Amino acid sequence: MKLKGIHMNDRGKPVDRFDLEEAIMRAWRTSDDIKALYTSAERMDEDQIMNALLGLEIFAEMRFDELWNTFEQCINNGVFDDSTTRGAEIAQALDEATQGFGQEQI
């Protein structure tokens, strides 16, 4: 979701470096998936292994697409720009997003 040019996460807060860190950690799960497949491969036939590998490919692609999108949103939100003045814009967008939800203004 985008509010006044600021990308928001699913919790209604501006996408920041913590969202990027979460996306990186989700992408790392692919290595755990590969380890699980490796340890289970002895009990699988060739078709099962191939299907599992194709599934891993799809999930890895989805995770890395999400990671890239989060990275781009961080750039758009000025997360990596030390000279950014977007803090006030982000606070205003968050204030407007919380109006009507019984939340106090920032």
Side-chain angles (χ1 to χ4, degrees):
M1 173 175 62
K2 201 170 181 182
L3 183 63
K4 290 197 173 196
I6 304 297
H7 291 276
M8 308 297 273
N9 62 25
D10 57 354
R11 295 177 304 276
K13 296 184 178 187
V15 173
D16 60 17
R17 64 186 182 90
F18 298 108
D19 295 299
L20 182 60
E21 181 181 334
E22 288 175 10
I24 291 169
M25 295 308 294
R26 280 190 298 275
W28 275 110
R29 277 192 246 153
T30 302
S31 67
D32 294 333
D33 295 338
I34 293 169
K35 288 176 190 173
L37 175 59
Y38 178 76
T39 58
S40 299
E42 293 175 353
R43 299 181 301 276
M44 302 169 80
D45 64 30
E46 187 176 336
D47 280 344
Q48 290 173 318
I49 292 172
M50 293 306 293
N51 287 333
L53 288 170
L54 288 172
L56 280 173
E57 176 190 15
I58 291 167
F59 274 97
E61 191 74 28
M62 291 184 328
R63 288 173 181 155
F64 282 102
D65 282 346
E66 180 185 351
L67 174 57
W68 184 254
N69 290 336
T70 303
F71 175 69
E72 287 181 330
Q73 291 171 353
C74 283
I75 290 172
N76 184 289
N77 285 356
V79 170
F80 306 115
D81 185 3
D82 289 339
S83 64
T84 187
T85 58
R86 298 203 56 153
E89 292 175 34
I90 291 171
Q92 181 181 356
L94 189 55
D95 284 343
E96 291 172 5
T98 59
Q99 287 179 353
F101 292 103
Q103 302 290 323
E104 292 185 26
Q105 298 291 310
I106 296 177

